Amino acid sequence: MDSSRADRSRNASPSLAPTNQTGDRIVNQLMFMPPHMQELTKNGTKLKTILIYDENRRWSALKPGRRTFSGCPVNTCTFGADPKKTDPTNADAIVFGDKFHPAKHRRKPNQVWIFFSLEPPVHSRSLTSLKGINWTATYRHDSDIVVPYNKFVSYDPNVKILPLKRNYASRKTRKVAWFVSNCKAISGRLDYARELAKHIQVDIYGKCGNMRCPINQTEKCRKMLDTDYKFYLAFENSYCKDYITEKFYETGLQHDVVPIVLGARKEDYANNAPPHSFISIEDFDSPKSLAKYLHRLDKNDGLYNNYFRWKGTGEFVKTNFWCRVCALLHDELTDRHYENIEDWWHAICVLNT
């Protein structure tokens, strides 16, 4: 376990808390019902109040009250009113997001402080002022509550592939596509794409290329991947452990195209994606050698179609972050803390490969 985290929750279920084992524990947390919950409900459970200390617009749809938790297995939680108008010492949990404002009070022993982020450390502010964090809620699998951009769940763990019902290469005339607007990502993805384009057709849409597709017509643009292109560059802006965004899940896997990945480690993608569903640049010593492999797939429909045999073996599911938070607030997992959240957060990223 990371030295920056102290764990005193000896009675908490290991299937709910991070361990050295592979896995994100999301399904276990979704199904978790605190053992004493029935008794508490019978006696009138006190609602767990959650406050959000963050200026990020992602929370704008959350309103004070219990509505967000209405469909949760454990729904005895509520969002407090504006933190600036509420006594924070009465809250059961406080969530500190990417654009958090520091707490002005010392954390009470029975209050849970949660650090939340979907952005990589290189794009987040310093966390040195965050003292007393109990839980982490990020895309990283060693977070207490893993918050992935998406999650694929197999219908049957023993069924990894199915017979194909169609030829996914049929009528596709273009090779590689990429939708991108940030041309200065520290991962160096634009340089890689431009070098790749010297050896195979790469159509770059957006500010960084010469192809255009209206930003307000996202689905129409993505539809081209189903009909015209064989490959898509699901390139992230940073090289960080487990950092896999909608570029891979939504633009890549959920369309009839083979995603080529750069960002997280190959093993991270393998732990999150259906088997044989993507191509990693880690398997090639240069963009030129990758292009050679793509040309091979382009000329062989059988090899190309092998990347789609996972389709139909599972589905992408909602991970219901707030439902999991509510359930865990009623469990002994609350007795955890991070000695140095800054060290924990910034330890798993590199500037380049």
Side-chain angles (χ1 to χ4, degrees), residues 331-351:
D331 187 57
E332 295 176 356
L333 185 65
T334 55
D335 194 19
R336 301 167 67 82
H337 74 275
Y338 287 72
E339 298 287 357
N340 191 323
I341 189 65
E342 174 82 3
D343 285 353
W344 178 86
W345 183 228
H346 286 273
I348 316 291
C349 281
V350 295
L351 295 181

Side-chain angles (χ1 to χ4, degrees), residues 232-235 248 259-264 269 278-282:
Y232 179 75
L233 300 183
F235 284 5
F248 176 66
I260 301 169
V261 301
L262 172 157
Y269 286 97
F278 65 92
I279 297 170
S280 172
I281 68 163
E282 288 186 26

Side-chain angles (χ1 to χ4, degrees), residues 50-81:
I50 302 171
L51 295 180
I52 298 176
Y53 278 25
D54 191 14
E55 303 300 328
N56 197 304
R57 289 179 296 176
R58 72 161 58 92
W59 311 112
S60 60
L62 297 178
K63 305 299 181 184
R66 300 182 61 186
R67 186 176 65 177
T68 298
F69 307 96
S70 61
C72 299
V74 179
N75 59 16
T76 48
C77 291
T78 183
F79 284 117

Side-chain angles (χ1 to χ4, degrees), residues 123-178:
H123 295 298
S124 64
R125 61 184 297 182
S126 170
L127 305 183
T128 53
S129 63
L130 274 184
K131 306 294 185 181
I133 290 294
N134 302 99
W135 299 350
T136 49
T138 80
Y139 53 82
R140 276 172 48 177
H141 277 205
D142 57 342
S143 299
D144 297 286
I145 305 177
V146 183
V147 192
Y149 278 76
N150 218 316
K151 181 173 178 60
F152 181 82
V153 176
S154 298
Y155 296 133
D156 183 342
N158 296 316
V159 179
K160 304 294 185 182
I161 60 174
L162 292 173
L164 290 175
K165 297 181 179 180
R166 52 170 288 201
N167 179 4
Y168 286 88
S170 179
R171 299 183 181 180
K172 291 195 172 187
T173 59
R174 306 193 73 79
K175 306 299 189 292
V176 184
W178 189 25

